[in-house]
Amino acid sequence: MIIKKILQHTAMLTIAAAVSISASSVYADSVNYIIPFGPGGESDVSARMQQSFYKEKFGDDLVISYKPGGGGAAGWASLNGLNGDGQTIMGINLPHIVIKPAQKDVGFTTKDIHTFYMFHYTPDAIVVKADSPFQTLQDLIDDAKANPGAVVMSGSGKASANNLAQIKFDKMAGIKTTYVSFKGTGASTVALLGDQVTAQWGYTTVGAKQGKAVRMLAVAMETRHPLFPEVPTFKELGYDMVGGAYRGIALPSSASAATVTEWSNRIGEINADPEFRQTMLNGGFALLDIGASQMDAFMKERTAEYLLDARAAGLIK
């Protein structure tokens, strides 16, 4: 009888331990949030802005880690090999996940990336130093028309959001500028401030960070950015340009529909928080609210536009 009771007790402990392990795997106290770049960039900055809000709302920690390489390709190529239980998510960027696989084999295709939420974008902007003779966008256009190729503009990477914006705007405005690719927005901004270039294809975040040291001539938004009410949009100046570097989050393809929906709802809840929205705007970002149910249509539209612009510029075949 004593042995029987000991065996029963042991069995109960084993079952309890199994239940505990199972519960901990489903309700882990941290989530691995992989950024496929090094620390310090805007993907990292915006992810860190989400951290405290996620903890406050859901009780779990977003633990940010990095997997740099190939301009994001190393991370995205590895995404679908990760566990789809919902405890690992990865940041994604546009136009990167469209242009890179269109140029060559980088280990993934655009359709391989299962993005469940696009939560913001960094609007393209033409930026000049505060002491630049270009007071308006028209000043830059006039100079570029009078001196084809003489207006030299820095930007973050080739076939990047900045590069595509430069190509598109030159065509719209009927001008020819010279684009110089730098490794990241920081290096591109240093080139501007150091008088290595005439102007910069940067982002509204450059204006937020550099303050009075720079002047933005126009921003690629539907309406003016609340942080820069004095800066006109390209649209109001007659150029139909809205875009920039879009950022979102993806899950491995093995994630269930329920997991995708749950994560979409969670990021959407953070994005709806007034304090979070103000934090993002103060950093120069623009909010975007594209959840899982809208993602296919959004990606179809963006992909078509990026590929059209990249082919026209000879960046892809």
Side-chain angles (χ1 to χ4, degrees), residues 269-290:
E269 187 173 333
I270 293 173
N271 240 40
D273 188 295
E275 186 179 348
F276 175 76
R277 297 181 77 85
Q278 192 59 54
T279 300
M280 292 291 285
L281 290 174
N282 289 346
F285 298 101
L287 275 297
L288 196 66
D289 293 291
I290 308 295

Side-chain angles (χ1 to χ4, degrees), residues 181-201:
S181 171
F182 286 84
K183 191 175 182 180
T185 304
S188 169
T189 304
V190 169
L192 173 71
L193 297 177
D195 293 319
Q196 297 176 46
V197 295
T198 316
Q200 176 191 25
W201 268 106

